[in-house]
Amino acid sequence: MRKKYILSKLSLSRLVGLHVELESVVKRAIEITEQDFVVVEGVRTKEQCYINYGKGRTAEQCKAKGVPAQYAQPKVAKVTWLNNPLSSRHVTGHAVDLVPYPVDWNDLNKFKKISVAMKQAAKDLGVALDWGGDWRSSKDYPHFELKG
Ligand SMILES: [Zn+2]
């Protein structure tokens, strides 16, 4: 018999503020998934966007995009290539990042199993969902977002 999983308190706390359709899909997916997962990021604050954008960029580069200069960390590795630092769909609660549990960022097969459950859950609930693993360029395996 298939193992049953539930969302941890930490995962549930990270669903707060998400678009209600996306929250329902995640809650349905944990009931049917073959691969346990954790929610690593839901709604992203403006502050977190600034922190991400500042990584690998100078104060001038930050200011050019409206990011306060104090977030510049030119010596750190870049983590985002967004043209607009605030354009992530995480900001509006339309995106969520899920990672296999126990946490494993390297096993693509586990991410694929999560995507199977998420897609099935979305279908069951009549929600249009995109998976970052299906993107043609710069794949984002933990990332799911509402279409449109
Ligand atoms: Zn994401």
Side-chain angles (χ1 to χ4, degrees), residues 123-135:
K123 205 174 161 195
D124 292 350
L125 297 168
V127 173
L129 190 78
D130 275 332
W131 177 40
D134 288 329
W135 293 347

Side-chain angles (χ1 to χ4, degrees), residues 18-29:
L18 270 196
H19 191 289
V20 64
E21 283 186 342
L22 190 53
E23 181 185 353
S24 310
V25 171
V26 175
K27 286 180 170 171
R28 173 74 185 136

Side-chain angles (χ1 to χ4, degrees), residues 9-24 26-27 39 41-45 88-96 146:
K9 276 187 183 162
L10 186 60
S11 285
L12 285 170
S13 75
R14 288 170 175 161
L15 294 179
V16 173
L18 270 196
H19 191 289
V20 64
E21 283 186 342
L22 190 53
E23 181 185 353
S24 310
V26 175
K27 286 180 170 171
V39 179
E41 189 164 21
V43 177
R44 188 175 296 159
T45 61
S88 167
R89 301 211 79 212
H90 282 282
V91 177
T92 53
H94 287 74
V96 68
L146 295 176

Side-chain angles (χ1 to χ4, degrees), residues 72-117:
Q73 296 188 74
K75 288 177 182 158
V76 189
K78 234 180 219 191
V79 296
T80 177
W81 285 262
L82 287 173
N83 186 41
N84 172 354
L86 297 176
S87 74
S88 167
R89 301 211 79 212
H90 282 282
V91 177
T92 53
H94 287 74
V96 68
D97 294 339
L98 308 176
V99 170
Y101 184 84
V103 173
D104 181 349
W105 289 89
N106 300 313
D107 190 338
L108 280 190
N109 218 22
K110 291 180 182 171
F111 281 97
K112 281 181 187 151
K113 282 184 181 167
I114 296 171
S115 81
V116 168

